[in-house]
Amino acid sequence: MPGLSKQQKQAAASDPSKLVAPIAALFAATQHTLASHRKNINALHAVFLACAAYTTLSDDGESLRLTGEKAFGDAIRDATARVLVVKKGVEQGDRVVKFLAGFVAFAVEYDEKKRQEAAAARGDDEEDEDEEEDGPSTRLVSQLLAFLLKGFLAKNKVVRFRAVQLVALLINSLGEIDDESYQNLKAALLNRIRDKESSVRMQAVVALSKLQGADDSGSEGGAEDGDDSEEEPEKDSDDEDLREDSDEEYEEKKPVKKGSKKEIEKEAKVAEVLMDVLSYDAASEVRRATLLNLLPTPSTLPLLLQRTLDVDPINRRAAFSHVLPEVPVDSYTRAQRAELVKRGLDDREGSVKKAAMTLVGRWAVEKGGVLPFVEMFDLENETKVAEMALGAVFETKPELLQSVEFGEEFYDTITPASAFLLRTYIAYLRRTSSPLLDDIAPVVTRLAFLIQSQWTELVVLLENEERDEDAERESLIIVRELIAEAEGADYGDEMGRRAMFDLMRGLLGHASLPASLIPPCLDVLLKGGIQEKDFVRIVVEIVQVLRSDSALLTSESEVDDDDDDDEDLDLDEDSMRERSDKKKQAKRAAKSRGAAELKRRKELDLRCLAVCKALLERVMGAIKGENSMVHGLVLDLIVPAVKSKDHAVRAQGLLCLGLGCLLDKSMALDSFELLARQSQATEGELQVKILQTLFDMLILHGINFGAERGFGPDVILAFLLNNLEQEEHDVAATAVVGIVKLMLYGLVKDEELLSRLVLLYFASETADNQELRQCLSYFFPRYCYENPLNQRRVANVSLTALALLKGVYDDLDDKTTMVAPLQIGLQLVDWTDPQKAFDSEFAEPDETIHFDLAVQMVKLLFTQEQKDERKLLCQLLPKLYIPDEIDELKIKSLLTLIASLKLNRPLADTVSKNALVRFETSLTKAFGEKLDALTEDQIKEAEELKATHDFIRQALDDDEAEEEEDEEEEDEEAGGDEEDEEEGVAESDEE
């Protein structure tokens, strides 16, 4: 054998079939346990090396045949083919798959190491790519991959699953492949990613995700390198079910090298496919696999964040615990961070909330402390979000608070972030009854002096001619947080209480106090231990002081002067001339006021109204009784504001008037019609507020409270029906929420209103109004199941509403915007099911609801002529619940109706006939014995049967009358045609 080494000659003397004989035994051993996999992989690799060394000469004697490699490859493919038919979830099959993948990875790593050693021995700086491509392991992987790709097209779903699963595991061992092989692999995976089996799609996602590695080096804001994902996330008890489907979901996101020059474009297409699967795949496990394997980049990050709203709680937890921690906190925008905090910490699932808290704590560590962490949030507009985030940090990373010293230096250099931290941390300590509270919380006197100091700085900034908006905003946040801290302070110290009380009165009386600080200042006043009556007196005095230069007061006095014109008739001519001159001078003086003065007075009016609004929100006593001083504010401030022509002033006046109506019934009687008209004349947020006030008045005082004034229940119901026709989403949702509350409280029982709510819930026009749909989706089950009387009302409107919705559905061009009529009918049947009604001591159960509904449906089949409508009713009949306690005479009556229907109004289609037969058979089977026991006298005397026969007779008579009318019309038409013919003949004769 010329040209062969001594080792090759010795290997050629052996039989290749004997070399591959141990392979079957090794694969059999790997099925039992994972513990022996490493030993078996080494043994199989030794067999592979021996086979790779066995070669034979070609026929011409010029080249070598890789006989040993071929034999080894055939044996491996045979073993692989056997595991391809093993179903998902069989442990033995999973162990063999992992063993095969581990062996291939070990063989590729071994060859790579040998090449590196050879290159180092030769002193080469670069590896020989040709040598890499021609290595034994590379050839084995290519052959095995080509074999498995054939399994992608198998009809057997198990074979497709195992083939894609193995390919997903083998991709890491491909090394560098040519562009054609890459495109074939990618095309095959793209086909399987649309497989009808979710398990196959999941493995295709895992495999395809490993082809996106070319974007690693160029992605901004994502993972720096695909190898970063090799570190498995920290495990806890909640993460075990993430692995329930497949361990390959956590496979490394290891890039595959390819030789195409258009690799960036190709990888982008892969990412787009994965993004599409992440958003629209129906299977939660497929979305989870995509979520865990899709690399975070600026383009994929928004979709990854969207999975925090996934319907599956495991996916939501996976997003917070395994995906989002890979993204640096600075890569999120401020809005994205706030949204993540709200979604995660408000989640109903405890495990998801825990994962979100851990993520937020990790952000704080990444930022290097609590104060830098707080500065990430918008403390002016996202206070609640920042509070939630800090609460998570207090729970998960309490050690970060040890680096913060709450001493004199802290208060001397206080910032918005530190003030917010102080208030939030002290509130947390109070909530948890921590012993650290006494050491950290400042005494009331110290806090009052601190607020006074910061308030002085804010006033200087506000009154400065050169305004610094950033400095004003920061100073305002500091004052707001300190006042909020004062609200929860301990006022056991009388000196501190008086100091804080005087400070709050001074702030409320200051003309420069921002409107956002008025409510917290009033809360601190209330916390000072004063009674409500004294609190009202103090606030009213403050408002009166502010109103000393109020435009509303001036306007009112001017109006009063105008109203006294009738008194001028009794004066002499000189006095009248003098008074006229004074009025003219007053008018000229009013016109001479500058725009700045008018603006200032308007701001003062709005401030007075803001204080009045905050006051009314915090008192509970009647205006004309316990808090009679408020009545003066209503007459002197609120009523002129409602009459004002300025939109902002009138809006605040209407809100204050509505709050007053909630405290005083007589004011509600006087103002309800005014507010009702304004609810139709205004728009936007003000319209929503007025509607909310009106519904609160109806809930508080009842819908009959205005009967003596001319707006009794009928007028109120007409008003409610009119509000259901609102076009703006917010306004329509507000109206629906108010009506739903009235119906749940039992104040409104109108069936027409209930029917309109049913139409709104299913109609396509409300598909985009999620607030309205969510409200009604809660209302109907709660309303129906809590009281059988409510179920009866819904049943009374069901058939009419269903017919209307069927017509709307038929007229739609895009049927996807609305639920099919059959589904609507099934939902109505479910809501009216007596079996689902709650047990209540206030209402007797009504078991006959569905029976009465069945009678109505069968009677409707007599008069209904449309095929689709009759089919819909027949399909719903078998879904009705007919209890065993129904009187047998009623059942006899219903069966009589059905028999007459089949005889006189036969159904046209097979589906309707079968459904009606099933319903009739179920009745006969359930009540057959009772029906047979009925005597002829009972049947003759039964009122139910008499009414049924009368209905059938009337229906048949109506049909005969209609037929006679049709015949008469046909005869008249025929007679008219004969007369026309005779006239035509006569005319021709005359001619």
Side-chain angles (χ1 to χ4, degrees):
M1 294 183 183
L4 297 179
S5 63
K6 181 178 180 181
Q7 182 179 3
Q8 290 173 326
K9 291 179 181 179
Q10 294 176 353
S14 61
D15 186 0
S17 61
K18 296 181 180 179
L19 293 177
V20 298
I23 293 179
L26 291 174
F27 271 89
T30 59
Q31 301 179 29
H32 306 297
T33 178
L34 296 174
S36 60
H37 272 200
R38 176 56 59 185
K39 179 184 69 174
N40 292 330
I41 286 174
N42 289 329
L44 183 60
H45 188 252
V47 174
F48 175 62
L49 292 178
C51 291
Y54 181 84
T55 57
T56 58
L57 284 175
S58 60
D59 295 337
D60 57 6
E62 298 295 330
S63 59
L64 292 176
R65 291 177 176 173
L66 304 178
T67 308
E69 286 188 25
K70 183 178 182 302
F72 184 86
D74 292 341
I76 290 294
R77 286 193 293 274
D78 180 68
T80 303
R82 298 177 186 276
V83 79
L84 290 181
V85 295
V86 179
K87 293 183 178 180
K88 175 187 175 182
V90 178
E91 294 183 357
Q92 290 80 359
D94 294 336
R95 293 191 187 110
V96 172
V97 168
K98 292 179 180 179
F99 169 74
L100 181 59
F103 161 71
V104 172
F106 181 80
V108 172
E109 183 181 358
Y110 179 85
D111 285 1
E112 181 68 22
K113 183 177 180 181
K114 289 296 184 182
R115 282 193 294 271
Q116 291 177 357
E117 292 177 355
R122 294 193 305 268
D124 296 341
D125 294 333
E126 300 181 356
E127 299 180 11
D128 189 353
E129 294 184 358
D130 293 337
E131 185 179 353
E132 179 182 357
E133 292 178 357
D134 296 334
S137 62
T138 304
R139 291 190 292 270
L140 175 64
V141 172
S142 299
Q143 295 170 8
L144 190 57
L145 182 63
F147 172 72
L148 292 174
L149 288 180
K150 298 178 181 178
F152 280 29
L153 304 177
K155 293 183 178 180
N156 190 335
K157 63 181 181 181
V158 176
V159 175
R160 295 199 308 274
F161 166 73
R162 289 297 183 184
V164 180
Q165 182 187 29
L166 275 168
V167 169
L169 293 171
L170 293 177
I171 285 182
N172 288 339
S173 306
L174 288 181
E176 183 174 353
I177 61 177
D178 60 278
D179 185 69
E180 183 180 359
S181 300
Y182 169 78
Q183 293 299 336
N184 293 336
L185 174 62
K186 177 181 169 183
L189 292 174
L190 288 176
N191 287 332
R192 288 308 97 206
I193 214 169
R194 305 300 180 192
D195 197 282
K196 64 179 181 180
E197 297 296 328
S198 60
S199 59
V200 178
R201 297 199 305 273
M202 183 182 68
Q203 296 300 328
V205 163
V206 174
L208 196 61
S209 64
K210 298 172 183 178
L211 304 180
Q212 59 179 333
D215 290 335
D216 289 345
S217 60
S219 60
E220 298 177 5
E224 294 181 0
D225 188 35
D227 294 337
D228 291 345
S229 58
E230 293 179 7
E231 300 180 4
E232 289 198 0
E234 183 180 353
K235 300 178 182 178
D236 55 39
S237 58
D238 291 333
D239 292 335
E240 293 301 324
D241 51 356
L242 286 173
R243 300 175 180 269
E244 62 184 358
D245 294 307
S246 173
D247 291 337
E248 287 76 24
E249 294 183 19
Y250 288 87
E251 280 294 315
E252 323 171 344
K253 303 171 190 174
K254 189 173 180 181
V256 176
K257 301 177 183 178
K258 57 187 187 329
S260 174
K261 296 181 180 180
K262 300 180 180 180
E263 57 184 5
I264 297 179
E265 179 184 354
K266 300 299 183 183
E267 298 300 336
K269 292 182 179 180
V270 170
E272 290 174 2
V273 172
L274 293 177
M275 291 162 64
D276 182 71
V277 173
L278 181 63
S279 300
Y280 302 112
D281 198 286
S284 60
E285 62 271 17
V286 178
R287 297 195 305 274
R288 188 181 315 139
T290 312
L291 176 68
L292 295 171
N293 289 279
L294 186 62
L295 293 176
T297 64
S299 59
T300 62
L301 184 58
L303 290 179
L304 295 176
L305 297 179
Q306 193 65 24
R307 287 306 96 201
T308 57
L309 295 176
D310 197 285
V311 295
D312 186 64
I314 300 177
N315 289 357
R316 298 200 301 272
R317 187 178 74 242
F320 281 109
S321 59
H322 298 297
V323 178
L324 299 180
E326 297 181 5
V327 182
V329 64
D330 293 332
S331 298
Y332 301 105
T333 63
R334 177 171 289 179
Q336 288 175 338
R337 283 194 294 265
E339 197 65 30
L340 281 177
V341 172
K342 286 191 291 186
R343 293 175 183 176
L345 300 184
D346 277 342
D347 200 285
R348 291 172 292 182
E349 290 289 335
S351 59
V352 179
K353 186 174 182 179
K354 180 180 177 182
M357 293 175 65
T358 304
L359 175 64
V360 173
R362 180 169 180 167
W363 286 352
V365 174
E366 187 176 344
K367 294 299 293 184
V370 181
L371 287 176
F373 172 75
V374 175
E375 292 172 354
M376 294 193 310
F377 295 94
D378 182 6
L379 299 180
E380 183 179 9
N381 303 313
E382 299 176 354
T383 306
K384 295 297 182 182
V385 175
E387 287 180 7
M388 296 168 62
L390 268 183
V393 174
F394 297 154
E395 293 286 345
T396 58
K397 300 293 180 181
E399 64 276 7
L400 295 178
L401 275 300
Q402 298 177 1
S403 60
V404 182
E405 295 290 339
F406 295 94
E408 291 298 327
E409 184 180 355
F410 178 87
Y411 294 107
D412 294 339
T413 60
I414 195 166
T415 63
S418 59
F420 183 83
L421 174 62
L422 174 69
R423 194 260 301 174
T424 309
Y425 188 45
I426 292 176
Y428 171 76
L429 295 178
R430 287 197 188 100
R431 190 167 60 251
T432 57
S433 302
S434 174
L436 298 174
L437 179 61
D438 296 334
D439 299 332
I440 294 178
V443 296
V444 178
T445 306
R446 176 75 176 88
L447 185 58
F449 283 119
L450 184 60
I451 294 174
Q452 179 65 59
S453 174
Q454 296 297 326
W455 166 246
T456 303
E457 294 182 8
L458 177 59
V459 171
V460 172
L461 291 172
L462 292 174
E463 296 179 351
N464 193 358
E465 294 182 359
E466 298 180 359
R467 304 290 293 271
D468 187 349
E469 295 183 358
D470 293 337
E472 289 178 10
R473 182 168 56 253
E474 292 181 358
S475 182
L476 177 61
I477 294 174
I478 294 174
V479 175
R480 183 195 68 195
E481 296 302 324
L482 293 177
I483 294 176
E485 166 54 27
E487 183 182 349
D490 183 8
Y491 288 94
D493 179 17
E494 181 64 20
M495 183 179 296
R497 188 191 69 82
R498 290 182 179 179
M500 187 65 71
F501 189 81
D502 295 338
L503 176 60
M504 292 299 107
R505 290 191 62 176
L507 291 179
L508 288 170
H510 201 288
S512 300
L513 182 69
S516 60
L517 296 182
I518 292 176
C521 289
L522 290 178
D523 291 334
V524 175
L525 276 181
L526 269 177
K527 188 66 184 295
I530 61 176
Q531 296 181 355
E532 184 177 281
K533 187 174 182 180
D534 297 330
F535 170 71
V536 171
R537 177 182 56 79
I538 293 170
V539 177
V540 170
E541 290 176 356
I542 293 173
V543 173
Q544 290 176 347
V545 172
L546 290 173
R547 291 191 69 235
S548 61
D549 193 22
S550 171
L552 291 178
L553 180 62
T554 304
S555 300
E556 185 181 353
S557 62
E558 292 173 356
V559 172
D560 291 340
D561 291 341
D562 294 337
D563 292 340
D564 293 338
D565 288 343
D566 294 337
E567 299 178 2
D568 294 346
L569 299 175
D570 299 334
L571 300 177
D572 55 18
E573 186 177 353
D574 295 336
S575 299
M576 291 178 61
R577 186 182 298 109
E578 182 180 355
R579 175 165 290 193
S580 177
D581 293 339
K582 289 182 178 180
K583 288 182 178 180
K584 291 179 180 180
Q585 291 177 3
K587 291 181 178 180
R588 285 194 296 268
K591 291 181 179 180
S592 63
R593 294 190 184 100
E597 177 67 13
L598 294 177
K599 180 180 178 181
R600 186 187 69 82
R601 291 175 62 182
K602 175 184 174 181
E603 292 176 352
L604 188 59
D605 296 335
L606 291 175
R607 183 178 308 283
C608 294
L609 290 169
V611 175
C612 184
K613 177 176 175 290
L615 170 66
L616 294 173
E617 289 173 344
R618 285 160 176 77
V619 298
M620 299 298 295
I623 291 179
K624 294 184 179 179
E626 302 174 15
N627 299 316
S628 57
M629 295 188 68
V630 180
H631 186 64
L633 282 182
V634 173
L635 297 177
D636 298 337
L637 178 64
I638 298 177
V639 173
V642 172
K643 296 179 180 180
S644 175
K645 295 181 179 180
D646 186 87
H647 176 73
V649 175
R650 187 174 72 255
Q652 288 296 319
L654 288 171
L655 294 179
C656 292
L657 181 63
L659 291 171
C661 292
L662 297 178
L663 297 175
D664 191 86
K665 186 176 181 179
S666 61
M667 183 183 295
L669 287 171
D670 296 334
S671 306
F672 184 86
E673 292 181 291
L674 171 64
L675 292 173
R677 289 194 300 270
Q678 290 296 323
S679 69
Q680 305 299 322
T682 56
E683 59 184 14
E685 184 179 358
L686 178 59
Q687 187 178 13
V688 171
K689 292 290 185 183
I690 294 176
L691 281 176
Q692 290 174 344
T693 303
L694 289 170
F695 284 118
D696 290 342
M697 291 167 59
L698 293 176
I699 293 173
L700 182 62
H701 304 304
I703 64 172
N704 298 320
F705 84 106
E708 59 185 18
R709 295 292 185 90
F711 50 94
D714 295 338
V715 177
I716 298 297
L717 289 175
F719 169 74
L720 297 178
L721 287 169
N722 185 45
N723 277 286
L724 288 178
E725 299 177 358
Q726 300 288 346
E727 295 182 358
E728 295 185 13
H729 285 184
D730 294 342
V731 181
T734 303
V736 167
V737 170
I739 294 172
V740 160
K741 290 180 180 179
L742 291 172
M743 301 193 78
L744 288 176
Y745 283 126
L747 299 174
V748 174
K749 302 176 182 179
D750 185 67
E751 292 185 358
E752 182 181 359
L753 196 60
L754 183 61
S755 177
R756 292 286 297 278
L757 292 179
V758 173
L759 296 177
L760 282 175
Y761 182 57
F762 292 108
S764 59
E765 289 79 3
T766 61
D768 296 333
N769 196 341
Q770 295 300 318
E771 184 179 357
L772 183 148
R773 285 286 184 94
Q774 186 175 8
C775 173
L776 292 178
S777 65
Y778 166 80
F779 163 71
F780 279 114
R782 175 66 184 272
Y783 179 77
C784 294
Y785 299 154
E786 73 175 1
N787 194 330
L789 295 177
N790 295 339
Q791 281 188 317
R792 174 67 66 177
R793 295 188 186 99
V794 174
N796 292 339
V797 303
S798 292
L799 296 181
T800 305
L802 182 60
L804 292 173
L805 291 169
K806 175 70 168 59
V808 172
Y809 182 83
D810 293 339
D811 294 337
L812 288 177
D813 295 330
D814 184 8
K815 306 294 186 182
T816 60
T817 59
M818 185 175 172
V819 182
L822 179 59
Q823 299 301 321
I824 297 175
L826 293 174
Q827 183 66 79
L828 292 172
V829 169
D830 180 78
W831 287 339
T832 55
D833 189 351
Q835 301 176 99
K836 295 189 176 182
F838 302 148
D839 294 333
S840 175
E841 59 183 6
F842 304 104
E844 293 293 331
D846 189 354
E847 299 286 342
T848 63
I849 295 176
H850 272 187
F851 175 81
D852 295 340
L853 194 60
V855 174
Q856 295 178 28
M857 288 183 178
V858 176
K859 288 183 176 180
L860 190 58
L861 288 171
F862 271 89
T863 58
Q864 184 60 255
E865 297 180 357
Q866 297 295 327
K867 176 183 176 182
D868 292 340
E869 280 74 1
R870 303 188 84 192
K871 179 180 178 182
L872 175 61
L873 294 173
C874 290
Q875 288 177 310
L876 294 177
L877 280 173
K879 307 297 181 181
L880 298 177
Y881 166 69
I882 309 298
D884 297 335
E885 293 78 12
I886 295 292
D887 184 38
E888 54 270 18
L889 289 173
K890 292 183 177 181
I891 298 296
K892 181 67 175 178
S893 173
L894 179 57
L895 290 174
T896 303
L897 277 174
I898 296 174
S900 178
L901 174 68
K902 295 166 66 176
L903 179 63
N904 300 298
R905 295 284 191 280
L907 300 170
D909 61 294
T910 305
V911 175
S912 302
K913 292 179 180 179
N914 293 339
L916 186 62
V917 168
R918 287 200 306 271
F919 180 65
E920 183 182 18
T921 303
S922 64
L923 292 178
T924 305
K925 182 177 180 182
F927 299 93
E929 297 180 359
K930 295 182 180 180
L931 294 175
D932 294 338
L934 291 175
T935 63
E936 294 183 1
D937 294 337
Q938 288 178 320
I939 296 175
K940 290 180 180 180
E941 296 176 359
E943 296 294 334
E944 296 86 353
L945 286 171
K946 291 180 180 179
T948 300
H949 290 303
D950 292 341
F951 172 80
I952 295 173
R953 190 180 304 110
Q954 182 64 37
L956 296 178
D957 291 342
D958 292 341
D959 287 345
E960 292 179 358
E962 290 180 1
E963 291 178 358
E964 291 178 358
E965 291 178 359
D966 293 340
E967 291 178 357
E968 290 178 358
E969 291 179 358
E970 292 177 358
D971 293 340
E972 290 178 358
E973 292 178 357
D977 294 340
E978 292 178 358
E979 291 178 358
D980 293 339
E981 291 179 0
E982 292 176 356
E983 292 178 358
V985 171
E987 291 177 358
S988 61
D989 292 341
E990 291 177 358
E991 291 177 358

